[in-house]
Amino acid sequence: MDRSLFLARLMGPTFVAVALGILINLGMYQSMIVEALHTGILFYLSGLLSLLAGLAIINLHNRWQADWRSIITVMGWLMTLGGIMRIVLPQVAVAIGSTVYSGRAATVVVALITGAIGAFLSFNGYVRRA
């Protein structure tokens, strides 16, 4: 199977599930976000996992083509940079996270964007053939 299809089939449903989880359980997710934005071992581990996943994606799929596959590469780079920020500059990462997740509406917008990217990747991975 093509790497793009494989990664789209992994990332797409995962993003959709995360988005649905946030939208269905908004209050609980807001509490988890507030808790996660305190520097500590959970914050460090989330950075480490993000860094590892991002590096895996860009090492397997560093493709800059003028089609949907570039989204996978961009997501890999964003995960890598986010992981590095949480590990190397946790205070900056907390400040950015606190700004992004400043309220209920912001959390909903992030969930909708995540769900849209997930639906798009799922469509390209499962329905449309590359």
Side-chain angles (χ1 to χ4, degrees):
M1 179 186 313
D2 179 42
R3 286 182 183 169
S4 299
L5 291 176
F6 176 74
L7 290 169
R9 290 176 178 188
L10 284 178
M11 295 169 69
T14 302
F15 285 10
V16 169
V18 167
L20 287 174
I22 292 171
L23 293 171
I24 292 169
N25 306 292
L26 189 58
M28 179 181 283
Y29 273 81
Q30 285 182 303
S31 296
M32 287 192 293
I33 290 167
V34 168
E35 185 179 327
L37 286 174
H38 290 86
T39 55
I41 192 66
L42 180 62
F43 196 78
Y44 173 80
L45 288 175
S46 72
L48 186 63
L49 291 174
S50 182
L51 176 60
L52 289 171
L55 286 173
I57 290 169
I58 61 175
N59 277 289
L60 289 172
H61 194 280
N62 198 17
R63 299 181 184 175
W64 295 99
Q65 299 167 312
D67 63 9
W68 68 271
R69 292 173 185 92
S70 294
I71 292 175
I72 296 170
T73 302
V74 169
M75 295 307 298
W77 279 104
L78 289 174
M79 292 167 75
T80 300
L81 294 173
I84 290 170
M85 287 290 290
R86 280 177 264 173
I87 293 169
V88 177
L89 300 169
Q91 298 86 354
V92 174
V94 167
I96 292 170
S98 297
T99 302
V100 170
Y101 295 103
S102 59
R104 185 177 183 92
T107 305
V108 170
V109 169
V110 169
L112 292 174
I113 292 169
T114 301
I117 293 170
F120 182 75
L121 289 175
S122 294
F123 173 78
N124 282 289
Y126 286 102
V127 178
R128 189 174 142 210
R129 295 294 171 205

